[in-house]
Amino acid sequence: AVSVERAFGSDIIQMIINAGMMVRFILLILLCLSIISWTIIFMKWRLLRKAKQETDFFLDLFWGSSDFAKIHNECRGLLFSPISHLFKSGYSELKKISRMSPLPNSMDSNTAMNPLLDSVERSLKKTTIDQGNRLEKALSFLATTGNTAPFIGLFGTVWGIMEAFRGIGMKGSASLAVVAPGISEALIATAAGLAAAIPAVIAFNYFNQKVRVLSFEMDTFTSDFLSLVERHLFKKQMDQKK
């Protein structure tokens, strides 16, 4: 009776204190995983929320004006939006091309502009990769926690049950007073593993969907921006011919 009361104390903290060294070590690992996961969840939620807000603001600004220089000046403070970074990268490359006076000329205007468009496109692709990596940073940790935490907890449970059966063998008794404390202590590890894994999995799926939306918007903006640059270069080449 004393053992049962000791195991099933007034709160779960007492059960953790009464658990074996290996179970407590497993619980410490799971606690660290959970703390890191919740830190990532908070930071990633803030990052993606700001990225979405600034992206919406930038797109309104971009499609509301045809003056790239003005857009560039007004979006300097947009640090979270991946599309604003795309525009800054493409605009910087376009300025380098614009300093070429005159532009390369040939009988085939498309052939003349292809190297210039390729230069802008390469710059946009590099920025897209960099921004994609920034948005996806630390998401792999959430996926790893979601996949491994239940198994870590299960390992602690199996170890605890092994210790419980060892205690049964040493005492030569299989009564509830002998079995229940060890089993209950062991099951804490499984519960802790699930508590660490469930929020990580939910957050990973949620953030992954948000990143996919932003990636799609980056691809769409890249196509639209290249079309505008092509028209700009074509107009400048026609002006040179005049």
Side-chain angles (χ1 to χ4, degrees), residues 50-139:
K50 292 286 291 183
K52 180 60 178 173
Q53 290 174 348
E54 291 189 359
T55 295
D56 292 341
F57 174 80
F58 172 78
L59 289 176
D60 290 339
L61 177 66
F62 180 80
W63 294 114
S65 175
S66 58
D67 187 348
F68 281 4
K70 178 182 177 182
I71 297 172
H72 184 264
N73 290 331
E74 293 190 19
C75 73
R76 289 181 184 274
L78 302 181
L79 304 178
F80 293 92
S81 172
I83 295 182
S84 71
H85 286 281
L86 271 180
F87 172 78
K88 293 171 188 175
S89 175
Y91 179 73
S92 298
E93 194 67 27
L94 185 60
K95 284 184 68 176
K96 294 178 185 177
I97 294 173
S98 297
R99 295 191 190 103
M100 299 172 59
S101 184
L103 289 175
N105 202 355
S106 73
M107 295 300 293
D108 185 354
S109 61
N110 290 329
T111 302
M113 287 189 294
N114 278 341
L116 305 179
L117 286 174
D118 288 344
S119 177
V120 176
E121 187 175 5
R122 282 195 299 271
S123 177
L124 292 174
K125 284 183 176 179
K126 181 180 181 301
T127 305
T128 298
I129 294 172
D130 292 340
Q131 291 302 308
N133 291 336
R134 182 175 70 92
L135 292 173
E136 294 175 358
K137 186 178 181 181
L139 288 183

Side-chain angles (χ1 to χ4, degrees), residues 105-199:
N105 202 355
S106 73
M107 295 300 293
D108 185 354
S109 61
N110 290 329
T111 302
M113 287 189 294
N114 278 341
L116 305 179
L117 286 174
D118 288 344
S119 177
V120 176
E121 187 175 5
R122 282 195 299 271
S123 177
L124 292 174
K125 284 183 176 179
K126 181 180 181 301
T127 305
T128 298
I129 294 172
D130 292 340
Q131 291 302 308
N133 291 336
R134 182 175 70 92
L135 292 173
E136 294 175 358
K137 186 178 181 181
L139 288 183
S140 59
F141 185 88
L142 294 179
T144 301
T145 299
N147 289 329
T148 60
F151 293 103
I152 295 174
L154 181 61
F155 174 77
T157 295
V158 171
W159 188 276
I161 291 175
M162 287 170 55
E163 289 294 317
F165 278 108
R166 179 172 172 271
I168 292 172
M170 292 179 62
K171 293 182 179 181
S173 172
S175 64
L176 182 63
V178 175
V179 176
I183 300 299
S184 63
E185 291 170 3
L187 289 175
I188 294 175
T190 296
L194 293 174
I198 292 172

